[in-house]
Amino acid sequence: MDELQAGRRVVVRYSLDPGDTHSTSDALGLVTAVDEAGVEIDTKRGPLRIPRSQILLVHEVPPAPTRTGRTHEIVSAVDLRRISAAAWLPQDVSWLHVENLRNEGTESGADLSLLQKGWLLRSSACSTRRANSALPVTDSGLGWEQGLDAVEEWYRTREQPSRIQIYSADDSSTLAPECQGLAPLLSARGYTPSEAVLLLTGATAEAADGASAPAEAAADGLLIDVADAPTSEHLAAWTSQRSPGQTPAAAEAFRGLITADQPCEFVTAYAQHPDGSRSMVAVCRVVERRKWGVITNLVTRPDLRRRGAGRSVARAAAALLAQRGVRSYLVDVDAGNEASVNLFASLGATVRHRSWYAELA
C-alpha cells in the first residue's frame, strides 16, 4: 500500500468490522499519520483512525478542487505548495506542530516528524532555498510568534540562517491565510524578502502540443532522451549555473535531492554530430507527486539558448506525464527569469501564485 504515506490525499475502502469484507465504508482525506497498526486520515468529518487489518483498498487522488474549472486551475495555493515541496525534500525534515511537541514532551530539540501538519521545516547542506526553509502548511497550534521562535531555534541548532517561505493566495501580493500572521513579525524581526518566485500550472496535454511521446517533442535535429538517473554532465550543468564552487558536502546533498524520490526522471535534449557523437543542449527533471507532474531544474547551455532546446525539453516532459495519465503540472520560476516564464506561458501555463523567501541575516 504505497499510497499510504503521510501528506497524500487518498480514498480508503475499509471493513467496518475486522474480518468482514461485506460491510464496508470509504474515507476520503489527507493522510496525517501512518504506523504499523494503522493510518490516520483527516476527513471532512474530522480525524479518522483505520486499523491496517481493516483496510481493503487504497487509491491516491489529486488535491481537492477549490472551485469548478480546469484541473490545473482549481487547486489551492497551499496544496500547490505541498506538491512542489514533495518534489524537493532533503533528508533533514521535520513538522512543527503542537501535537508533535506534546508527544515528545518538550518544545525544544524534539523530533517533529510524527504528524505531517503544521509548518514543514527543511534543512540541507545544499544551498538551495527550497531545501533550507520553513513552509507554513497548516496552523501549527503554537501561534505565530511562538511558532517563529521555534523555527529560529531549529535552524540555530543547525547553524543555519532562519528562512521562511511565504506565499500568496493567488497571482497577487496578498499572502495566503497560512502565512498572513507572519508578515508583521518577519518585518519586525528584520527578515529580508527575496525576489518573487512564480508558481505556474498547466495542462500536460496542452504543453505537449500534439506530442504523444517524449521523442516526438524534438525539433531542429535534437534527440530527446529520458533516463532514470542524471549523468555527471547533468550535475555539472546544474551546479555551474546554480552553485559554482560548492563544497563536496553540498555537492553530495544536491545529488541526494536530485535523485531522492521515485518516480523521478531526467529529460535531455542532445545535439547529434556528423561523427556520431552527441552533446547535451538542455535538460530538466520530472517528478510525479500527488497525481501532478513537477518540472524542476530546467537548464539550457548558455551558448545555445533561444534555439528551441528548452521548449523541446519542456514539451517532452509534458508528453511523458500525459502518456502516464498525469493531467496537470507545475513549475516554480524566479520572477526575473523572463525566458523561462515566457517559455511556459507559451505552452499554456499561467501564474497561480507567488512566493518569497524571507531570511534573517
Side-chain angles (χ1 to χ4, degrees):
M1 298 182 182
D2 292 338
E3 292 84 357
L4 283 180
Q5 295 182 17
R8 292 189 174 183
R9 186 169 180 257
V10 298
V11 173
V12 177
R13 176 158 294 178
Y14 61 99
S15 60
L16 296 176
D17 296 303
D20 182 1
T21 60
H22 299 288
S23 180
T24 65
S25 184
D26 292 333
L28 169 64
L30 194 70
V31 178
T32 56
V34 181
D35 54 40
E36 294 182 358
V39 59
E40 181 176 305
I41 300 176
D42 188 9
T43 71
K44 286 186 176 181
R45 297 182 179 180
L48 175 65
R49 176 78 179 179
I50 305 175
R52 278 190 179 269
S53 60
Q54 293 174 227
I55 296 175
L56 304 175
L57 180 68
V58 180
H59 180 63
E60 185 180 9
V61 296
T66 56
R67 60 184 187 279
T68 58
R70 303 177 71 190
T71 304
H72 66 277
E73 297 175 342
I74 57 177
V75 176
S76 69
V78 67
D79 279 327
L80 291 173
R81 288 264 54 96
R82 279 183 180 273
I83 296 167
S84 180
W88 194 253
L89 281 178
Q91 290 187 344
D92 190 1
V93 171
S94 295
W95 284 89
L96 177 64
H97 191 273
V98 66
E99 292 182 35
N100 285 339
L101 296 172
R102 287 171 179 166
N103 289 339
E104 290 297 319
T106 177
E107 293 193 2
S108 63
D111 176 6
L112 310 179
S113 61
L114 303 177
L115 296 177
Q116 292 203 4
K117 58 184 180 180
W119 296 2
L120 173 62
L121 311 182
R122 303 165 289 190
S123 175
S124 171
C126 174
S127 61
T128 60
R129 296 174 301 182
R130 189 166 24 161
N132 289 283
S133 57
L135 175 69
V137 177
T138 65
D139 183 4
S140 69
L142 296 170
W144 297 109
E145 190 162 1
Q146 188 177 1
L148 186 54
D149 288 343
V151 168
E152 291 177 356
E153 177 61 23
W154 195 82
Y155 284 105
R156 188 178 298 115
T157 63
R158 288 158 175 78
E159 299 182 344
Q160 291 180 307
S162 178
R163 184 185 291 119
I164 316 289
Q165 185 181 13
I166 55 177
Y167 51 95
S168 64
D170 51 31
D171 183 19
S172 71
S173 297
T174 302
L175 291 181
E178 293 79 9
C179 305
Q180 283 180 351
L182 280 171
L185 286 176
L186 294 174
S187 178
R189 296 192 186 190
Y191 281 75
T192 302
S194 69
E195 174 190 42
V197 179
L198 309 180
L199 186 144
L200 297 87
T201 67
T204 57
E206 183 177 357
D209 193 23
S212 59
E216 296 178 10
D220 297 328
L222 295 174
L223 171 68
I224 296 294
D225 177 73
V226 179
D228 294 330
T231 67
S232 57
E233 191 176 14
H234 292 138
L235 294 168
W238 287 318
T239 55
S240 65
Q241 293 195 24
R242 297 174 183 270
S243 303
Q246 64 181 329
T247 65
E252 185 62 28
F254 181 79
R255 178 187 285 273
L257 278 168
I258 282 285
T259 60
D261 296 315
Q262 300 297 330
C264 175
E265 290 168 301
F266 304 88
V267 179
T268 310
Y270 290 99
Q272 302 183 84
H273 305 297
D275 63 359
S277 64
R278 66 181 191 178
S279 57
M280 189 186 79
V281 181
V283 62
C284 76
R285 174 177 177 263
V286 185
V287 183
E288 185 181 332
R289 294 290 180 271
R290 316 293 195 254
K291 299 298 183 181
W292 273 65
V294 183
I295 298 176
T296 73
N297 303 90
L298 173 62
V299 295
T300 303
R301 273 181 50 177
D303 58 328
L304 295 175
R305 288 173 180 167
R306 301 186 184 279
R307 298 187 184 183
R311 182 180 181 84
S312 291
V313 164
R315 284 188 61 213
L320 178 68
L321 292 165
Q323 195 177 48
R324 293 177 175 167
V326 179
R327 299 172 61 186
S328 304
Y329 73 94
L330 66 80
V331 59
D332 284 291
V333 181
D334 288 344
N337 188 346
E338 294 185 7
S340 287
V341 173
N342 292 336
L343 165 61
F344 285 101
S346 73
L347 296 176
T350 56
V351 177
R352 289 294 312 282
H353 72 257
R354 301 163 185 264
S355 66
W356 301 264
Y357 292 93
E359 182 172 335
L360 183 61

